[in-house]
Amino acid sequence: MSLRASSTRRRSRMDILRPTLIRIGGRVYRKNVIQEQAYQHEEEDDFCAGPGDCADEPCDAFVVEETEKGFQCRMEVPSLLYKYIIGKKGETKKKLETETRTSISIPKLGVEGEIVITGQHRSGVISARTRIDVLLDSFRKKQPFTHFLSLALNQPTIQEKFLQFKEEVLEKCSKDHGVSSSLFQNPAKLHLTLGTLVLLNEQEIQKACDLLQQCKEDFVDQIAGGKPLTVEVVGVEYMNDDPAMTDILYAKVRMKDGSDRLQVIADQLVERFVASGLMLKEWDRVKLHATVMNTLFRKDPSAEERNNTMTGKSSFKERESFNGRNILKLFENFYFGEVQLDSVQLSQRFSSDASGYYATSGQLVF
């Protein structure tokens, strides 16, 4: 037996003994890996509810209705995700129906609507719903983000100072490896990112907008005191280990009064969105920073960074890092200016409005 085959078998045994655990709605499920041929570069995974979950007992995470012929459960699923439930030649859907003894009705591709699960036994309907939830959670994490919560830092005074920063960097550091004008952020799009979202239809966008307004009523107005927050954008920093191999350079943001009110609002907003299932938890607290230089901009000026490495394909292999040592030394305390923050935007990725900033799907005004 070859070493590769032996290693593969050991990994397979470990996958069975220690399967990946997935949390959805406060419950824990185990993900069982099966050896099936993938289709269209997508993985085909089999999912099984873990011990003590709602597969074998009444579940309060969703509604199961009793009908004349048995039981049914309705679920709203974006049409873009139907294909993952159907599978290649309908194999995934057939397998779910056979193993749970249910019937799964799915709208036509491209048509938004409800998926309806019906069966003679309540436990079967619950099992099918649970497995679909876990399946979709796995594939949703692979979708590129569509929106993000942002605070605009593109006021004229900030833009002016940013352009001064760019001019001085190119004047003093252009001979440093990798430094060029193509690395700099579009001044009209300067912003703080609080978190990213995958919103796949109008219903999910509306849910995010509604949650923003609920957050305003529940805690934002009280923390902000009903007026804008005055912040300062001062200094630059990087987040990788070696400043000589920098990919992203950030401007630091702080409250002018020295308080932590902006940090508290940012952390609580993300906490609420994560709890709602609209956002994935990436960090214990939000890093308050604004990208000013990014090596992704070399090839695509509209490119945006996603910190969540669980999603999408990495772009780091295509990057040419730059030596940021001199920039960090010379501009450690560069003053970009003071700004009044009065709203959190639900911004659309790869978009622009009349001002040059990202188009907005909704907002929370302080």
Side-chain angles (χ1 to χ4, degrees):
M1 182 186 297
S2 69
L3 291 175
R4 179 177 296 180
S6 176
S7 175
T8 300
R9 290 190 177 184
R10 283 198 298 272
R11 286 198 303 270
S12 296
R13 286 196 292 270
M14 293 306 294
D15 288 341
I16 295 171
L17 294 173
R18 298 179 182 176
T20 302
L21 299 180
I22 300 175
R23 292 181 178 272
I24 299 179
R27 297 178 181 273
V28 179
Y29 305 97
R30 64 176 183 268
K31 175 181 175 182
N32 294 336
V33 179
I34 60 175
Q35 300 299 321
E36 286 188 5
Q37 185 176 0
Y39 69 98
Q40 295 181 343
H41 307 291
E42 302 288 359
E43 294 179 7
E44 283 287 355
D45 297 315
D46 183 36
F47 297 88
C48 178
D53 60 47
C54 63
D56 301 308
E57 60 182 86
C59 184
D60 56 5
F62 44 79
V63 176
V64 176
E65 303 170 327
E66 188 169 4
T67 66
E68 293 181 358
K69 297 182 179 180
F71 298 87
Q72 74 172 18
C73 179
R74 298 175 177 273
M75 58 188 301
E76 292 186 359
V77 176
S79 60
L80 288 173
L81 299 180
Y82 292 169
K83 62 181 179 180
Y84 300 121
I85 304 173
I86 297 170
K88 184 179 181 181
K89 296 181 180 180
E91 291 173 1
T92 303
K93 178 173 176 288
K94 290 175 185 176
K95 180 173 178 165
L96 283 169
E97 291 176 325
T98 300
E99 295 184 356
T100 61
R101 297 182 181 180
T102 59
S103 175
I104 302 171
S105 175
I106 303 174
K108 292 181 180 180
L109 292 178
V111 177
E112 299 294 340
E114 290 183 321
I115 289 177
V116 182
I117 306 166
T118 57
Q120 293 184 355
H121 302 286
R122 179 184 176 87
S123 60
V125 172
I126 290 174
S127 179
R129 168 63 189 262
T130 301
R131 292 178 65 170
I132 290 174
D133 279 340
V134 179
L135 180 69
L136 294 182
D137 180 72
S138 175
F139 284 114
R140 180 181 281 273
K141 288 176 180 177
K142 299 175 184 178
Q143 305 298 316
F145 77 95
T146 60
H147 295 72
F148 57 100
L149 295 183
S150 75
L151 293 132
L153 296 175
N154 64 342
Q155 291 76 2
T157 53
I158 299 291
Q159 289 196 45
E160 184 178 344
K161 291 293 289 185
F162 170 78
L163 291 173
Q164 178 188 331
F165 166 77
K166 177 180 178 179
E167 181 180 344
E168 292 185 14
V169 167
L170 292 175
E171 178 183 332
K172 300 175 182 178
C173 307
S174 61
K175 293 184 179 180
D176 294 343
H177 175 75
V179 175
S180 72
S181 61
S182 63
L183 296 177
F184 291 85
Q185 172 69 281
N186 177 348
K189 291 187 180 296
L190 287 167
H191 67 279
L192 288 175
T193 297
L194 304 186
T196 58
L197 306 95
V198 177
L199 305 177
L200 300 179
N201 59 20
E202 290 301 321
Q203 289 86 345
E204 292 188 346
I205 293 173
Q206 187 58 53
K207 182 179 178 182
C209 291
D210 293 343
L211 183 55
L212 267 181
Q213 296 310 310
Q214 189 62 51
C215 290
K216 170 182 169 66
E217 297 173 11
D218 290 349
F219 60 86
V220 173
D221 280 347
Q222 180 179 355
I223 297 171
K227 53 186 179 182
L229 301 177
T230 303
V231 303
E232 294 178 313
V233 185
V234 185
V236 293
E237 65 177 350
Y238 68 108
M239 287 190 184
N240 57 303
D241 295 330
D242 185 1
M245 296 291 289
T246 300
D247 280 312
I248 307 172
L249 196 72
Y250 302 95
K252 295 183 284 188
V253 180
R254 67 192 184 196
M255 286 289 298
K256 186 176 182 180
D257 63 9
S259 73
D260 64 350
R261 288 185 297 157
L262 178 58
Q263 185 70 59
V264 172
I265 289 175
D267 289 341
Q268 290 193 21
L269 278 171
V270 170
E271 184 179 334
R272 281 292 188 89
F273 273 78
V274 169
S276 74
L278 290 170
M279 186 180 289
L280 292 175
K281 184 175 178 64
E282 300 183 69
W283 314 104
D284 290 333
R285 67 201 305 261
V286 176
K287 179 74 173 177
L288 298 176
H289 62 275
T291 299
V292 292
M293 298 174 69
N294 190 332
T295 54
L296 284 181
F297 296 155
R298 286 190 199 278
K299 294 185 177 180
D300 181 5
S302 67
E304 295 158 60
E305 184 67 60
R306 178 166 198 177
N307 293 326
N308 183 6
T309 56
M310 295 168 59
T311 341
K313 297 182 179 179
S314 173
S315 300
F316 286 89
K317 292 182 179 179
E318 302 172 5
R319 293 184 167 193
E320 178 194 349
S321 300
F322 66 93
N323 187 343
R325 291 185 184 276
N326 285 330
I327 298 175
L328 289 162
K329 185 185 302 182
L330 296 172
F331 300 92
E332 180 182 6
N333 298 307
F334 186 88
Y335 189 74
F336 290 91
E338 176 183 309
V339 61
Q340 304 285 318
L341 298 180
D342 60 3
S343 64
V344 177
Q345 312 285 329
L346 178 61
S347 300
Q348 300 173 29
R349 192 183 187 194
F350 301 132
S351 68
S352 297
D353 62 14
S355 72
Y357 193 65
Y358 301 94
T360 299
S361 294
Q363 64 178 342
L364 179 167
V365 180
F366 298 163

